[in-house]
Amino acid sequence: MTSHQHEPSDLLRRFRRGESETCQQVERWALEVVRSRRYGVLASDHDDLVQETLRQTWEQVSDPDFTLSHSLRALVHRIAMARCVDWLRRRRVQVEVQDDLLREVPDPTARLELEQQVERLQGALGSLKPLCRDLIRWHFHERRTYGDIARDTGRNESTLRVHMFNCLKALRSLMGTGDATA
């Protein structure tokens, strides 16, 4: 069983104990962000940013009052993204602006609409049953397969697929009319 198949609290406990497999998994998660083309981090700086991400992750989870709000992977990604943004701020890179880059940045009106849509989505997700919220988080945010989720929850994989179908149907309804429950 690989480390991403464990419960979040189990992964956190294993990371705190310094178990090699879990620490390597956390390092891979940090590398996912650091190597992303989105930040353009030079290969020569990857190791430093990963190391800083691991250090800050360790500091946070070592705090006796620390509680994991989402998943260890989400925490590592958030910290790695912050380190990449800091890296970008420290650099004064001068390159030509690519035309396709401008298309990726929405105008202020589009950005506001997107922010409002995200707020509506968060409200709709909050209205779903806990199983629906968990399924959506595990499958879409943590990118876990239905097989992994089935093994961890003791549920049938096909049953989880049906649940997800119904959860997404309810979410679409909540996003459109605001009057469905799942």
Side-chain angles (χ1 to χ4, degrees):
M1 183 178 282
T2 61
S3 62
H4 71 277
Q5 293 171 328
H6 296 285
E7 289 293 321
S9 59
D10 184 43
L11 277 174
L12 181 59
R13 197 171 20 261
R14 290 167 163 265
F15 181 66
R16 283 177 172 160
R17 286 194 306 233
E19 290 186 12
S20 177
E21 180 184 330
T22 304
C23 291
Q24 289 170 359
Q25 181 62 55
V26 169
E27 185 174 343
R28 284 191 294 272
W29 291 336
L31 273 169
E32 289 173 354
V33 175
V34 170
R35 288 183 178 163
S36 169
R37 290 183 343 144
R38 171 183 312 158
Y39 300 107
V41 174
L42 300 174
S44 59
D45 291 327
H46 286 180
D47 289 342
D48 289 341
L49 291 176
V50 168
Q51 193 66 27
E52 183 63 17
T53 299
L54 294 174
R55 184 189 66 75
Q56 286 188 341
T57 303
W58 181 260
E59 281 179 0
Q60 283 193 23
V61 303
S62 295
D63 184 333
D65 296 327
F66 175 80
T67 56
L68 196 58
S69 59
H70 294 302
S71 68
L72 184 57
R73 183 179 191 163
L75 174 67
V76 171
H77 276 195
R78 183 178 53 79
I79 292 171
M81 285 187 274
R83 297 299 56 81
C84 289
V85 168
D86 287 347
W87 179 87
L88 286 169
R89 286 180 179 151
R90 287 190 305 266
R91 291 182 45 90
R92 298 241 184 248
V93 179
Q94 296 180 356
V95 296
E96 283 186 40
V97 175
Q98 300 168 353
D99 291 335
D100 60 339
L101 179 64
L102 295 175
R103 284 188 289 260
E104 293 176 13
V105 179
D107 64 36
T109 303
R111 175 177 276 157
L112 180 60
E113 289 172 0
L114 180 62
E115 288 172 3
Q116 290 170 341
Q117 188 175 17
V118 168
E119 285 178 20
R120 280 191 11 252
L121 176 61
Q122 289 172 335
L125 284 169
S127 299
L128 294 175
K129 291 180 182 177
L131 175 61
C132 284
R133 288 193 306 267
D134 289 341
L135 273 176
I136 289 169
R137 178 175 41 87
W138 291 330
H139 186 70
F140 293 106
H141 182 69
E142 295 178 10
R143 298 179 184 193
R144 296 175 64 195
T145 66
Y146 288 107
D148 287 343
I149 297 168
R151 279 189 295 280
D152 289 350
T153 62
R155 294 176 184 251
N156 187 312
E157 184 175 341
S158 60
T159 303
L160 289 174
R161 289 179 188 277
V162 171
H163 278 300
M164 180 65 84
F165 173 81
N166 291 325
C167 293
L168 292 176
K169 183 178 172 183
L171 184 60
R172 284 185 196 99
S173 178
L174 286 166
M175 290 294 292
T177 64
D179 62 355
T181 57

